[in-house]
Amino acid sequence: MSASDQAFRALREQMRELTALTTALGQAFEASSMERRIVTSAVRIAGVDGCSLYRRDGDWLHFRVVKSVTLGLMVVSDFGDDGVFRPVSLLAADGSPSTEAVSARTVAENDVINVSDVSRLPNFDSSRVARFDQRMGYDTRSILSAPVTFRGGQPLGVLQFVNAKNAVGNHVPFSGTHVQLARSLAAMLGMLWTLEP
């Protein structure tokens, strides 16, 4: 099979998955099961190793779903205040918006943050990522973080991809296609959360 045939087949599968998500979103749904479905689909569609979903509660981001292919991990809600999945503060010590964590910066800027190498990002505290990696035996290289909004409003949460990979499994930077996909899935989540009963 040629490279163009493989690319077309991958695109067709991505479109099929996005169509299924859109259809499911338009039907009766339960929010937490749709969150899991969107995160799981995001990993497959985007060809990434991991995906996390945070939901905003006041000045905090709380994990809702965490999925990692490498770690064989699928964790859902109720993470508590301890450990590697503790909430992320949206405020710095002086009360200003926090921009140290990628997820917090995503909320503060209400825009996509694309980090090709977490160890080389200026004005970013990578200690949280380092603690996660050490505790879980992981190697976070790249992060793509998109705000979850509804109709361009204030962020309701964050959808975050981790470690983009190419067809042979090597780490690669996140592309413009990844950014578009993250925006689309984040918009679905924004609609889900805004319209949930």
Side-chain angles (χ1 to χ4, degrees):
M1 180 180 298
S2 71
S4 62
D5 287 341
Q6 289 176 342
F8 179 74
R9 178 177 284 182
L11 179 60
R12 188 174 58 202
E13 289 303 314
Q14 290 171 349
M15 292 303 298
R16 183 176 294 144
E17 189 117 23
L18 283 171
T19 300
L21 284 175
T22 304
T23 301
L25 193 60
Q27 299 170 351
F29 56 80
E30 196 267 322
S32 62
S33 65
M34 276 302 298
E35 291 170 0
R36 290 191 300 275
R37 185 169 179 181
I38 289 171
V39 166
T40 301
S41 291
V43 169
R44 275 196 306 268
I45 296 169
V48 299
D49 185 66
C51 183
S52 297
L53 175 62
Y54 306 78
R55 189 159 184 183
R56 185 175 187 169
D57 182 13
D59 295 327
W60 294 90
L61 285 175
H62 294 267
F63 283 96
R64 298 285 296 169
V65 183
V66 178
K67 180 168 180 62
S68 169
V69 175
T70 298
L71 295 174
L73 180 70
M74 179 70 167
V75 187
V76 182
S77 294
D78 300 326
F79 295 95
D81 294 331
D82 297 323
V84 294
F85 299 122
R86 69 186 185 287
V88 177
S89 177
L90 295 174
L91 296 178
D94 65 1
S96 64
S98 175
T99 57
E100 290 185 353
V102 173
S103 55
R105 184 179 293 186
T106 302
V107 170
E109 297 180 8
N110 197 6
D111 200 3
V112 171
I113 306 291
N114 188 348
V115 181
S116 60
D117 184 344
V118 296
S119 68
R120 297 182 184 170
L121 182 64
N123 304 317
F124 166 66
D125 179 6
S126 61
S127 62
R128 186 180 177 109
V129 172
R131 281 194 305 273
F132 174 88
D133 284 356
Q134 183 176 19
R135 185 161 175 184
M136 303 298 289
Y138 195 67
D139 182 17
T140 303
R141 303 258 185 104
S142 56
I143 298 175
L144 177 66
S145 190
V148 174
T149 63
F150 184 67
R151 294 184 177 170
Q154 289 302 304
L156 305 170
V158 172
L159 180 68
Q160 197 168 86
F161 294 168
V162 177
N163 289 354
K165 295 187 174 186
N166 63 17
V168 295
N170 295 326
H171 290 277
V172 294
F174 286 103
S175 66
T177 301
H178 286 115
V179 172
Q180 292 173 347
L181 179 61
R183 287 187 190 277
S184 297
L185 294 173
M188 281 186 189
L189 287 158
M191 184 182 302
L192 172 71
W193 288 344
T194 302
L195 301 178
E196 68 182 323

